Amino acid sequence: LEQVWLSQALLFASHGALPALCSARRQLPPGCLRTTVLWDPDDAQCAIVANALDFAFGEQIELVDIRERDGVDQLLNKHPDIPREDVCKAASMSGIFPSGCWMGDCHTHPKVLLYELKYMRAVQLSSAQRVLAMECDYLAPLQDLRLQLGSAPQWWLDSRCLARISLCLEHEKYVVIDGFLQEVEWRGLRPGG
């Protein structure tokens, strides 16, 4: 897949974009943040990949030229744990995600960057109000029941717990069951127990 995408990027660079598609940019979904791509415009491979990324994910990325010191400084001030020398290499491309995670060599191995950009395009985070409502309506009451039941094995099989879990699954389509395993069980899962 990665090699196919790189081949398509090269083909795209040699023929240019179709004029009708150049203006077909999507809007960045509300609450989503851009991924920053640091790149070296003097490198042909970086230019090919940057052009293809801009075409495919232009609304989701911000391209930053590694030669623009002020732009790089501003970005790295937000992420002080990212070493400049790792993301600002000549003839290279790096991606910095909104979370502060980063990756290098995107010009030769864009697979993870492409996956993350596609994922961020498809999956939208819940609003803070929705997360709080889920916590108040389902998760906190379930944890209260767990505490009431103490160390009862398989506490989640209590009819009150099953009712809360079912309600959450019905309305939210997922549920988090913290404390599902007994301590001896989860300790047994860890290396060295």
Side-chain angles (χ1 to χ4, degrees):
L1 179 62
E2 181 174 60
Q3 289 305 316
V4 171
W5 193 87
L6 286 170
S7 298
Q8 290 173 342
L10 181 60
L11 184 63
F12 174 75
S14 66
H15 294 291
L18 297 173
L21 296 177
C22 287
S23 61
R25 289 236 167 129
R26 299 175 185 171
Q27 297 255 348
L28 189 64
C32 292
L33 301 172
R34 286 185 170 76
T35 295
T36 304
V37 176
L38 292 155
W39 68 298
D40 180 359
D42 291 332
D43 181 73
Q45 183 66 23
C46 287
I48 288 169
V49 174
N51 189 34
L53 285 171
D54 185 48
F55 178 75
F57 300 101
E59 77 282 0
Q60 289 178 256
I61 64 169
E62 177 185 0
L63 290 167
V64 174
D65 182 336
I66 62 168
R67 302 170 302 180
E68 294 177 7
R69 188 143 182 93
D70 290 342
V72 172
D73 287 344
Q74 185 179 14
L75 172 67
L76 293 180
N77 284 339
K78 295 177 194 171
H79 305 287
D81 294 337
I82 299 176
R84 176 186 293 273
E85 60 275 7
D86 286 356
V87 294
C88 292
K89 296 178 191 172
S92 188
M93 176 181 282
S94 299
I96 300 178
F97 301 103
S99 65
C101 292
W102 60 276
M103 58 180 298
D105 296 325
C106 299
H107 62 298
T108 55
H109 301 289
K111 187 176 186 177
V112 173
L113 178 61
L114 294 171
Y115 172 82
E116 291 294 334
L117 290 170
K118 288 178 183 178
Y119 179 84
M120 287 188 282
R121 179 180 277 167
V123 176
Q124 295 181 20
L125 298 176
S126 295
S127 69
Q129 295 88 354
R130 184 162 170 85
V131 171
L132 185 58
M134 173 123 178
E135 176 69 27
C136 292
D137 295 343
Y138 306 107
L139 302 180
L142 185 59
Q143 287 308 307
D144 289 343
L145 287 169
R146 181 179 80 118
L147 293 173
Q148 286 175 20
L149 294 167
S151 60
Q154 300 182 337
W155 62 268
W156 63 90
L157 292 178
D158 180 275
S159 61
R160 297 168 296 166
C161 294
L162 288 175
R164 183 65 59 181
I165 291 168
S166 297
L167 190 62
C168 187
L169 287 171
E170 181 182 342
H171 293 148
E172 303 297 330
K173 310 301 183 230
Y174 76 99
V175 66
V176 177
I177 305 175
D178 190 25
F180 183 75
L181 297 175
Q182 297 291 307
E183 185 174 351
V184 69
E185 294 171 316
W186 67 260
R187 284 198 184 275
L189 296 174
R190 294 178 44 199

